[in-house]
Amino acid sequence: MGTIEIERGMVKYITSDGEIYYVKQHFPPSIPPVTERTSQKLLVPERFFSYGPIEKIVSLLGLGRCNVVTVKLAHEMHLTFEEFEMLQEMVGPEFYFSRAAYQYTPDTLPHKDPETAMGYQIVLDILVRNWDDGDRNMYMVSGIPVWFDFGASLDPRCQNVYRFLLKLQDAAEAGRVSSIELYFKNYSRRREKILEAAIEVFESITQSEIRTIVQVSEDEFSGFFADYLVNNISQISEDVDIIRGAFLSQKTADKGRIFYEPILKQTFWRQIK
């Protein structure tokens, strides 16, 4: 049996082992009505918000590869009937759990070097099209970043890498600067090597692992998201190149140092028709 607390308006669940999870209301996406005309098509909602299966998919993809928090569905927490009822009253009829990032320690993270951690994270974020991975969804543990809140990921509208690029730039203009943009801001040969290593790691993800992840995450559109991820993994190297080229164009190279300048986003409008 655990303990339920409220912290700054957010509900926390503390397990008997001392693990702290934030309890988030689960909002299933609205499903468009199926008509005779659309019955042969897979209908996928375009917008996700606080959606447990999506966050769990991203968390599992990053497990052991990135500094990301653990996400659990309600049935994985072994709640008592009383705890379940209390959380329903406090949070909502459906909910899921996201581990507190501040509980992690350097020895529990895959990457202890901040630059390496960010490099691996942005490859994951490009893979799942997570544009909201900036400092609002990051916690520093002894100077090492840990990411949480992956609800902006896997939006069907952003599977096109050029649409994702425009979303990144629109979000930055609204004050939510992505870690992706920050990583390329001071790009270097070391960061390039980190990206190359990270790309190899994510390219090695098998279709069997993807199938298991989407099944465990219990998403009703598991087939769609499995295809989404398999497709993005197959072209992750190309997508990283496109995103890198969007923020940086090589200007000069002198004595081993590389200098870049941004490319205007208008360049990419023709790619998203």
Side-chain angles (χ1 to χ4, degrees):
M1 185 171 180
T3 304
I4 299 172
E5 297 180 357
I6 296 180
E7 178 186 89
R8 300 176 184 175
M10 299 186 68
V11 178
K12 292 194 309 184
Y13 181 80
I14 306 172
T15 69
S16 57
D17 295 329
E19 293 184 352
I20 300 174
Y21 290 84
Y22 286 99
V23 189
K24 304 174 70 173
Q25 185 172 1
H26 170 74
F27 292 96
S30 58
I31 309 300
V34 177
T35 64
E36 183 177 348
R37 184 177 180 181
T38 62
S39 61
Q40 300 302 315
K41 298 180 180 179
L42 173 63
L43 300 177
V44 180
E46 287 194 336
R47 180 174 175 80
F48 298 96
F49 173 73
S50 195
Y51 188 40
I54 293 297
E55 288 212 49
K56 187 167 181 65
I57 287 173
V58 178
S59 176
L60 289 174
L61 281 170
L63 182 65
R65 300 182 177 102
C66 298
N67 294 355
V68 294
V69 301
T70 299
V71 174
K72 292 187 177 183
L73 304 179
H75 69 82
E76 297 178 279
M77 298 299 289
H78 307 294
L79 302 170
T80 66
F81 179 76
E82 291 76 14
E83 289 173 336
F84 191 85
E85 280 199 325
M86 185 179 296
L87 289 174
Q88 281 187 317
E89 291 178 4
M90 299 175 72
V91 180
E94 296 184 70
F95 47 83
Y96 61 102
F97 298 78
S98 180
R99 181 82 184 273
Y102 58 78
Q103 268 211 308
Y104 288 82
T105 57
D107 60 296
T108 62
L109 298 171
H111 305 292
K112 299 172 179 59
D113 173 66
E115 201 167 40
T116 301
M118 184 172 284
Y120 276 73
Q121 183 65 33
I122 72 163
V123 174
L124 172 62
D125 290 331
I126 292 172
L127 170 62
V128 300
R129 304 299 195 249
N130 180 18
W131 53 267
D132 196 17
D133 62 347
D135 55 6
R136 299 186 188 186
N137 293 327
M138 177 200 311
Y139 186 86
M140 302 301 287
V141 175
S142 300
I144 306 168
V146 179
W147 281 267
F148 57 91
D149 194 351
F150 318 117
S153 306
L154 299 176
D155 188 330
R157 294 170 299 179
C158 290
Q159 185 167 19
N160 180 301
V161 69
Y162 295 101
R163 287 189 179 276
F164 177 57
L165 170 62
L166 292 179
K167 184 63 179 179
L168 287 172
Q169 295 179 326
D170 288 343
E173 291 172 3
R176 300 184 78 93
V177 180
S178 168
S179 293
I180 296 171
E181 181 173 345
L182 294 175
Y183 190 81
F184 291 122
K185 188 174 183 179
N186 296 305
Y187 201 55
S188 64
R189 294 192 184 279
R190 181 174 187 269
R191 291 192 173 194
E192 185 174 1
K193 293 296 184 183
I194 291 170
L195 280 187
E196 290 174 356
I199 288 170
E200 286 187 11
V201 167
F202 283 97
E203 283 181 331
S204 68
I205 297 176
T206 64
Q207 293 188 22
S208 176
E209 181 179 353
I210 294 297
R211 183 163 52 250
T212 300
I213 285 174
V214 296
Q215 288 175 347
V216 168
S217 300
E218 300 179 11
D219 184 80
E220 59 186 308
F221 298 111
S222 58
F224 171 82
F225 287 114
D227 287 342
Y228 189 120
L229 292 170
V230 168
N231 179 72
N232 286 7
I233 288 171
S234 69
Q235 60 187 40
I236 185 62
S237 181
E238 178 183 347
D239 286 350
V240 169
D241 282 343
I242 291 171
I243 296 294
R244 173 169 45 203
F247 290 111
L248 316 166
S249 64
Q250 186 167 343
K251 188 175 182 181
T252 60
D254 180 36
K255 296 182 180 179
R257 297 183 64 191
I258 303 176
F259 299 88
Y260 298 89
E261 61 182 3
I263 294 178
L264 296 175
K265 76 177 185 179
Q266 287 85 348
T267 306
F268 296 95
W269 276 108
R270 68 180 185 276
Q271 302 287 349
I272 62 170
K273 295 179 180 178

